[in-house]
């Protein structure tokens, strides 16, 4: 695992409409207040240790507040959270596909868009 041996915490997606098993290309929860609340919790329990509190990086991993909004950012986010990041045999971010549901991933993405900062 990246940055230490840390066990991912489950993300409770109760209250979100199920999205099915086929991977969506666009966030179905964009702007959804319930999803944003769930995503904030999921992010803080699982992502903040590397990407920083409130998505403001302290330098270990990218500052996710600058991830593009809309479909462009959705594609970047989904690829990275599903498949992780490995360079030169080193795991920089573990893959979360099979760990988090698609609903949990999109809820985290919805929250990230709510804290977006323009470059």
């Amino acid at each position: 695992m990246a940055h230490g041996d840390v066990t991912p915490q489950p993300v409770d997606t109760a209250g979100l409409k199920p999205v099915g098993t086929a991977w969506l290309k666009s966030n179905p929860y964009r702007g959804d207040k319930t999803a944003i609340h769930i995503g904030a919790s999921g992010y803080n329990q699982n992502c903040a240790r590397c990407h920083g509190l409130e998505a403001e990086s302290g330098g270990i991993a990218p500052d996710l507040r600058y991830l593009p909004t809309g479909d462009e950012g959705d594609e970047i986010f989904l690829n990275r959270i599903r498949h992780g990041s490995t360079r030169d045999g080193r795991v920089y971010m573990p893959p979360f596909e099979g760990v988090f549901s698609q609903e949990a991933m999109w809820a985290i993405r919805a929250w990230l868009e709510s804290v977006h900062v323009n470059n």
Side-chain angles (χ1 to χ4, degrees), residues 104-115:
M105 292 181 189
W106 284 126
I108 291 169
R109 171 70 176 142
W111 178 77
L112 286 170
E113 280 197 324
S114 79
V115 298

Side-chain angles (χ1 to χ4, degrees), residues 1-2 5-13 23 42 45-47 49 78 80-84 91 93-106 108:
M1 298 297 273
D5 186 12
V6 179
T7 303
Q9 299 301 303
V11 178
D12 181 0
T13 58
W23 286 98
Q45 291 177 36
N46 293 286
C47 312
R49 64 182 52 93
L78 195 60
R80 185 57 51 93
I81 196 168
R82 285 181 66 195
H83 306 294
V91 175
M93 179 175 160
F96 286 95
E97 185 171 347
V99 176
F100 295 153
S101 67
Q102 182 174 194
E103 290 84 357
M105 292 181 189
W106 284 126
I108 291 169

Side-chain angles (χ1 to χ4, degrees), residues 22-66:
W23 286 98
L24 303 178
K25 294 184 180 202
S26 184
N27 190 348
Y29 304 134
R30 185 170 287 120
D32 181 296
K33 290 180 183 185
T34 301
I36 291 168
H37 177 75
I38 290 168
S41 176
Y43 175 90
N44 286 322
Q45 291 177 36
N46 293 286
C47 312
R49 64 182 52 93
C50 296
H51 289 282
L53 296 174
E54 299 299 315
E56 185 175 343
S57 178
I60 293 175
D63 190 314
L64 298 178
R65 297 173 304 152
Y66 297 104

